[in-house]
Amino acid sequence: MDARQLKTNLENLGLSQVAFFESVGSTNDVVAGWAEDGASPPALAAADEQTAGRGRHGRRWHTPPGSALAFSLLLDPRLAERHLGRAPGLGGLAVCLALEREFGLAPAIKWPNDVLLEGKKVCGVLAEAHWSGERLLALILGIGINVAPPSVPPAEALSFPATCIEAVLNRSVDRAALLRAVAEQVLAWQDRLGSANFLAAWGQRLAYQGQRVTLATSDAAPSLSAELQGLAPDGSLIVHLEDGSTRQLAAGEITMRPAAN
Ligand code: BT5
């Protein structure tokens, strides 16, 4: 994937700015810099390799060269202002739709921000909001997708199993074409972030629906066993606890895994 191929593939999407880096710290930081300089959304930065790719709460995101998709979209904050809790779902849904349409795969979304193939993590989404006082200045949606086998970190570096698209399909995948397919879906759905259709499309793809999961709020607190019910309108997760009560969980620091693990 080179800069010219990437830019050709992203034509006619209405992006105000596109940049491709052979190697960069984090594409989310690139786009945050653009937002500070007054760039108009939507804009997109992609990298072949990230040297400081990050997940939520400062966790590391592994993006070795030649094998992954790592990119960030600067989105119009006005579209997201009232629906920020849905932003991670926008990334997850866009990746699912692209994988379904391009390859006939059946991905699922491990709430709030992971896309799974065959029960393993193939993609992570990092939604970051930048504020000035009460005003949302920028919404940045960072998406990392494991495409070829070297993109998958060694098992000992992971708390949840990972895979890549090529391992599942057993053939090679054109990263630039997949990037376009995902970007198209993000841009198509961002205007409908607040709609019932968006919530339904996200909810249909939730992993572990109706199943027992283990939820942890932090390493120190005891984990909770619960049955996963679905999504609340604000993008939080509705679960039934063993004592019969219902809880609504905001994304925050919660990690989730199937109870069998
Ligand atoms: C995420 O965080 O899953 C969000 C990842 C977002 C990455 C994109 S790439 C473009 C943009 N630029 C950035 O710097 N970030 C975004 P979280 O749910 O916190 O998961 C992080 C955890 O996933 C790590 O602690 C590892 O256990 C695991 N992990 C790291 N790299 C992985 C990979 N390539 N595939 C699967 N799991 C990985």
Side-chain angles (χ1 to χ4, degrees), residues 25-28 50 52-56 59-63 69-72 113-114 121 123-126 142-144 146 151-153 157-160 162:
S26 159
T27 54
N28 266 34
Q50 290 186 120
R54 61 173 190 275
R56 296 179 303 149
R59 290 192 278 261
R60 282 217 52 164
W61 183 259
H62 179 79
T63 317
L69 269 180
F71 60 98
S72 302
N113 69 321
D114 295 343
K121 181 161 172 172
C123 159
V125 175
L126 180 66
I143 300 182
N146 299 337
S151 63
V152 181
L158 297 172
S159 53
F160 192 88

Side-chain angles (χ1 to χ4, degrees), residues 195-256:
S195 71
N197 278 352
F198 174 83
L199 199 68
W202 179 12
Q204 272 162 22
R205 291 167 178 82
L206 265 197
Y208 320 129
Q209 205 139 13
Q211 295 176 28
R212 204 142 272 292
V213 292
T214 302
L215 302 161
T217 47
S218 75
D219 290 343
S223 51
L224 286 176
S225 173
E227 189 184 294
L228 193 151
Q229 290 308 299
L231 292 170
D234 66 356
S236 58
L237 188 73
I238 303 169
V239 295
H240 283 171
L241 300 182
E242 280 181 330
D243 65 5
S245 64
T246 298
R247 282 261 296 267
Q248 214 168 294
L249 307 168
E253 206 18 11
I254 298 215
T255 58
M256 175 171 69

Side-chain angles (χ1 to χ4, degrees), residues 17-108:
Q17 213 167 316
V18 173
F20 173 71
F21 301 85
E22 291 294 340
S23 182
V24 78
S26 159
T27 54
N28 266 34
D29 293 340
V30 171
V31 166
W34 292 355
E36 272 169 32
D37 294 343
S40 14
L44 184 149
D48 188 50
E49 175 189 35
Q50 290 186 120
T51 53
R54 61 173 190 275
R56 296 179 303 149
H57 311 289
R59 290 192 278 261
R60 282 217 52 164
W61 183 259
H62 179 79
T63 317
S67 58
L69 269 180
F71 60 98
S72 302
L73 278 149
L74 177 66
L75 298 176
D76 188 338
R78 287 168 306 179
L79 297 170
E81 202 141 32
R82 285 175 298 118
H83 311 290
L84 267 188
R86 295 184 175 202
L90 176 60
L93 177 62
V95 171
C96 284
L97 288 167
L99 295 177
E100 290 165 15
R101 290 181 187 179
E102 297 292 303
F103 309 120
L105 290 167

